[in-house]
mmCIF file of all heavy atoms in Angstrom:
data_model
loop_
_atom_site.group_PDB
_atom_site.id
_atom_site.type_symbol
_atom_site.label_atom_id
_atom_site.label_comp_id
_atom_site.label_asym_id
_atom_site.label_seq_id
_atom_site.Cartn_x
_atom_site.Cartn_y
_atom_site.Cartn_z
ATOM 1 N N PHE L 134 -6.615 16.182 -15.880
ATOM 2 C CA PHE L 134 -7.767 16.072 -15.160
ATOM 3 C C PHE L 134 -8.933 15.779 -16.049
ATOM 4 O O PHE L 134 -9.731 14.958 -15.752
ATOM 5 C CB PHE L 134 -7.992 17.291 -14.365
ATOM 6 C CG PHE L 134 -7.525 17.116 -12.819
ATOM 7 C CD1 PHE L 134 -6.736 18.103 -12.245
ATOM 8 C CD2 PHE L 134 -8.022 16.145 -12.119
ATOM 9 C CE1 PHE L 134 -6.351 18.004 -10.953
ATOM 10 C CE2 PHE L 134 -7.665 15.991 -10.797
ATOM 11 C CZ PHE L 134 -6.887 16.919 -10.197
ATOM 12 N N THR L 135 -9.068 16.669 -17.062
ATOM 13 C CA THR L 135 -10.278 16.526 -17.948
ATOM 14 C C THR L 135 -10.298 15.156 -18.586
ATOM 15 O O THR L 135 -11.298 14.437 -18.604
ATOM 16 C CB THR L 135 -10.123 17.658 -19.110
ATOM 17 O OG1 THR L 135 -9.882 18.764 -18.430
ATOM 18 C CG2 THR L 135 -11.392 17.659 -19.791
ATOM 19 N N PHE L 136 -9.159 14.688 -19.202
ATOM 20 C CA PHE L 136 -9.292 13.330 -19.937
ATOM 21 C C PHE L 136 -9.429 12.297 -18.834
ATOM 22 O O PHE L 136 -10.191 11.233 -19.218
ATOM 23 C CB PHE L 136 -7.836 13.127 -20.572
ATOM 24 C CG PHE L 136 -7.700 13.955 -21.872
ATOM 25 C CD1 PHE L 136 -6.561 14.728 -22.124
ATOM 26 C CD2 PHE L 136 -8.759 13.983 -22.817
ATOM 27 C CE1 PHE L 136 -6.495 15.455 -23.350
ATOM 28 C CE2 PHE L 136 -8.697 14.831 -24.034
ATOM 29 C CZ PHE L 136 -7.537 15.454 -24.168
ATOM 30 N N GLN L 137 -8.924 12.460 -17.661
ATOM 31 C CA GLN L 137 -9.015 11.252 -16.685
ATOM 32 C C GLN L 137 -10.583 11.216 -16.308
ATOM 33 O O GLN L 137 -11.034 10.141 -16.035
ATOM 34 C CB GLN L 137 -8.094 11.458 -15.583
ATOM 35 C CG GLN L 137 -6.691 10.890 -15.936
ATOM 36 C CD GLN L 137 -5.645 11.614 -15.004
ATOM 37 O OE1 GLN L 137 -5.824 12.703 -14.390
ATOM 38 N NE2 GLN L 137 -4.475 11.089 -15.047
ATOM 39 N N ILE L 138 -11.128 12.317 -16.010
ATOM 40 C CA ILE L 138 -12.577 12.465 -15.552
ATOM 41 C C ILE L 138 -13.526 11.924 -16.731
ATOM 42 O O ILE L 138 -14.365 11.182 -16.478
ATOM 43 C CB ILE L 138 -12.983 13.835 -15.053
ATOM 44 C CG1 ILE L 138 -12.191 14.124 -13.795
ATOM 45 C CG2 ILE L 138 -14.451 13.864 -14.745
ATOM 46 C CD1 ILE L 138 -12.273 15.575 -13.274
ATOM 47 N N LEU L 139 -13.109 12.359 -17.934
ATOM 48 C CA LEU L 139 -13.903 11.902 -19.063
ATOM 49 C C LEU L 139 -13.866 10.360 -19.270
ATOM 50 O O LEU L 139 -14.842 9.812 -19.451
ATOM 51 C CB LEU L 139 -13.416 12.604 -20.334
ATOM 52 C CG LEU L 139 -14.181 12.241 -21.649
ATOM 53 C CD1 LEU L 139 -15.585 12.745 -21.674
ATOM 54 C CD2 LEU L 139 -13.472 12.914 -22.818
ATOM 55 N N ASP L 140 -12.723 9.814 -19.055
ATOM 56 C CA ASP L 140 -12.498 8.456 -19.173
ATOM 57 C C ASP L 140 -13.223 7.723 -18.061
ATOM 58 O O ASP L 140 -13.894 6.654 -18.351
ATOM 59 C CB ASP L 140 -11.001 8.118 -19.019
ATOM 60 C CG ASP L 140 -10.645 6.732 -19.429
ATOM 61 O OD1 ASP L 140 -11.127 6.272 -20.527
ATOM 62 O OD2 ASP L 140 -9.974 5.904 -18.725
ATOM 63 N N ALA L 141 -13.229 8.306 -16.860
ATOM 64 C CA ALA L 141 -14.082 7.601 -15.663
ATOM 65 C C ALA L 141 -15.518 7.749 -16.126
ATOM 66 O O ALA L 141 -16.238 6.660 -15.831
ATOM 67 C CB ALA L 141 -13.744 8.482 -14.452
ATOM 68 N N ILE L 142 -15.993 8.760 -16.729
ATOM 69 C CA ILE L 142 -17.473 8.838 -17.104
ATOM 70 C C ILE L 142 -17.744 7.786 -17.977
ATOM 71 O O ILE L 142 -18.782 7.147 -18.059
ATOM 72 C CB ILE L 142 -17.866 10.311 -17.573
ATOM 73 C CG1 ILE L 142 -17.655 11.312 -16.411
ATOM 74 C CG2 ILE L 142 -19.271 10.266 -18.025
ATOM 75 C CD1 ILE L 142 -17.794 12.696 -16.826
ATOM 76 N N ARG L 143 -16.793 7.691 -19.131
ATOM 77 C CA ARG L 143 -17.082 6.800 -20.246
ATOM 78 C C ARG L 143 -17.053 5.318 -19.746
ATOM 79 O O ARG L 143 -17.658 4.502 -20.347
ATOM 80 C CB ARG L 143 -15.900 6.971 -21.296
ATOM 81 C CG ARG L 143 -16.098 8.286 -22.036
ATOM 82 C CD ARG L 143 -16.856 8.046 -23.357
ATOM 83 N NE ARG L 143 -17.455 9.222 -23.715
ATOM 84 C CZ ARG L 143 -16.857 10.238 -24.430
ATOM 85 N NH1 ARG L 143 -15.589 10.052 -24.770
ATOM 86 N NH2 ARG L 143 -17.479 11.289 -24.840
ATOM 87 N N SER L 144 -16.204 5.048 -18.695
ATOM 88 C CA SER L 144 -16.201 3.676 -18.217
ATOM 89 C C SER L 144 -17.432 3.243 -17.346
ATOM 90 O O SER L 144 -17.490 2.117 -16.924
ATOM 91 C CB SER L 144 -14.901 3.428 -17.477
ATOM 92 O OG SER L 144 -14.965 4.186 -16.308
ATOM 93 N N MET L 145 -18.359 4.174 -17.260
ATOM 94 C CA MET L 145 -19.560 3.860 -16.525
ATOM 95 C C MET L 145 -20.290 2.671 -17.224
ATOM 96 O O MET L 145 -20.430 2.601 -18.347
ATOM 97 C CB MET L 145 -20.435 5.101 -16.555
ATOM 98 C CG MET L 145 -21.708 4.925 -15.706
ATOM 99 S SD MET L 145 -22.537 6.575 -15.362
ATOM 100 C CE MET L 145 -22.820 7.042 -17.079
ATOM 101 N N SER L 146 -20.775 1.720 -16.362
ATOM 102 C CA SER L 146 -21.375 0.553 -16.876
ATOM 103 C C SER L 146 -22.768 0.964 -17.620
ATOM 104 O O SER L 146 -23.569 1.601 -16.925
ATOM 105 C CB SER L 146 -21.652 -0.364 -15.727
ATOM 106 O OG SER L 146 -22.765 -1.201 -15.955
ATOM 107 N N LYS L 147 -22.959 0.448 -18.784
ATOM 108 C CA LYS L 147 -24.080 0.643 -19.455
ATOM 109 C C LYS L 147 -25.370 -0.044 -18.820
ATOM 110 O O LYS L 147 -26.371 0.522 -18.811
ATOM 111 C CB LYS L 147 -24.019 0.087 -20.918
ATOM 112 C CG LYS L 147 -25.235 0.223 -21.895
ATOM 113 C CD LYS L 147 -24.888 -0.310 -23.263
ATOM 114 C CE LYS L 147 -26.190 -0.449 -24.133
ATOM 115 N NZ LYS L 147 -26.918 -1.752 -23.878
ATOM 116 N N ASP L 148 -25.095 -1.211 -18.237
ATOM 117 C CA ASP L 148 -26.081 -1.980 -17.578
ATOM 118 C C ASP L 148 -26.579 -1.133 -16.287
ATOM 119 O O ASP L 148 -27.905 -0.963 -16.136
ATOM 120 C CB ASP L 148 -25.598 -3.331 -16.936
ATOM 121 C CG ASP L 148 -25.385 -4.322 -18.081
ATOM 122 O OD1 ASP L 148 -25.850 -4.024 -19.195
ATOM 123 O OD2 ASP L 148 -25.072 -5.433 -17.773
ATOM 124 N N LEU L 149 -25.667 -0.555 -15.566
ATOM 125 C CA LEU L 149 -26.091 0.216 -14.404
ATOM 126 C C LEU L 149 -26.835 1.500 -14.864
ATOM 127 O O LEU L 149 -27.706 1.991 -14.138
ATOM 128 C CB LEU L 149 -24.874 0.511 -13.516
ATOM 129 C CG LEU L 149 -24.388 -0.605 -12.608
ATOM 130 C CD1 LEU L 149 -23.268 -0.089 -11.711
ATOM 131 C CD2 LEU L 149 -25.453 -1.274 -11.794
ATOM 132 N N PHE L 150 -26.278 2.130 -15.967
ATOM 133 C CA PHE L 150 -26.900 3.264 -16.468
ATOM 134 C C PHE L 150 -28.404 3.071 -16.849
ATOM 135 O O PHE L 150 -29.291 3.688 -16.435
ATOM 136 C CB PHE L 150 -26.174 3.789 -17.631
ATOM 137 C CG PHE L 150 -26.815 5.004 -18.331
ATOM 138 C CD1 PHE L 150 -26.673 6.314 -17.739
ATOM 139 C CD2 PHE L 150 -27.485 4.975 -19.480
ATOM 140 C CE1 PHE L 150 -27.248 7.387 -18.283
ATOM 141 C CE2 PHE L 150 -28.087 5.979 -20.174
ATOM 142 C CZ PHE L 150 -28.004 7.265 -19.533
#
Side-chain angles (χ1 to χ4, degrees):
Chain L
F134 259 129
T135 311
F136 286 131
Q137 280 154 345
I138 296 170
L139 180 66
D140 193 48
I142 297 171
R143 288 269 155 78
S144 67
M145 184 165 60
S146 153
K147 180 177 166 278
D148 281 0
L149 285 185
F150 177 73

